[in-house]
Every structure is written in structure tokens, then in C-alpha cells.
Amino acid sequence: QVQLVESGGGLVQAEGSLTLSCSVSGRTFSTYHMGWFRQAPGKLREFVAAITYDGGRTWAADSVKGRFTISRGNAKNTVILQMNSLKPEDTAVYYCAAGSTTPWTDDYDYWGQGTQVTVSS
């Protein structure tokens, strides 16, 4: 069974930075494409960023390009979302996901419980 645990959320002022981490249990982490999604109150869940199983390719939503970076460490079974120049509209619960054949969609097999990110103006 695959389990995902996010960490690193919190409260930050606008233009600040946060680093989200997703720890993945299971021996097949290195075979999974990984993604980050977010859901703000009253809104649908949306794609943030994704990375292929080998880290060779990444995708990012237009709203976060140039500010957020996704990376992974297969030796440590972790995927990182570095978030810079945060804006109040980035406020949401951020979810880590694993195991999709189309990483830029929400078609993932496994999801974490989420971590809250709040950006104050």
C-alpha cells in the first residue's frame, strides 16, 4: 500500500516562500509520476505541478510558472514543491499525488491528506 504524507505548510506573508515536502511509503516510488494539486475554499481542486518518475520532465500551471518548482529525490522517496513569491491567491490546501499516466491531469491513484498554505497580504 502506498501512503503519502505532506508537510511544510503554514502561514506566510505575501512575497514569502515555503517548501512543501511529500514523503511516500512503498518500494515503487521511483516508478511513479508525482503531482501537486491545491484546493481553495469554495473552488475546485486544481493542478499545480507534476514531475515524471525519473525527474526528467516537469509541468507547472500557468498561475505558478516562474514561482513554484517541483523536484524529487528518489533515494529519499520525497517530492518537493518550492514556492517563492507567494500571493494571497495561492492560499489553499495542497495535496500530493502519485501514480498517474498523465501527470498534468488529476488522474492519480494515490493522494495525501493535504497541508494548509495561507498567504497573508
Side-chain angles (χ1 to χ4, degrees):
Q1 186 175 356
V2 178
Q3 292 185 324
L4 289 72
V5 178
E6 302 95 336
S7 62
L11 174 64
V12 64
Q13 290 186 333
E15 296 304 315
S17 297
L18 278 176
T19 303
L20 302 185
S21 179
C22 176
S23 178
V24 183
S25 66
R27 292 174 290 179
T28 55
F29 172 76
S30 61
T31 66
Y32 291 137
H33 299 326
M34 299 292 299
W36 284 97
F37 292 78
R38 66 187 182 187
Q39 187 168 20
K43 295 188 177 181
L44 296 175
R45 185 172 61 195
E46 64 174 359
F47 168 76
V48 175
I51 188 166
T52 52
Y53 72 98
D54 61 354
R57 187 174 179 182
T58 61
W59 296 262
D62 288 343
S63 59
V64 305
K65 279 181 181 176
R67 301 187 299 122
F68 292 11
T69 302
I70 187 171
S71 61
R72 68 188 295 158
N74 284 349
K76 296 183 178 180
N77 281 23
T78 57
V79 61
I80 302 295
L81 185 68
Q82 177 64 44
M83 306 186 297
N84 299 326
S85 301
L86 283 160
K87 304 175 181 180
E89 51 263 45
D90 294 318
T91 295
V93 177
Y94 283 71
Y95 297 91
C96 176
S100 172
T101 57
T102 50
W104 55 91
T105 73
D106 63 356
D107 182 25
Y108 281 80
D109 296 320
Y110 307 102
W111 293 84
Q113 293 299 306
T115 185
Q116 176 70 47
V117 172
T118 303
V119 184
S120 63
S121 57

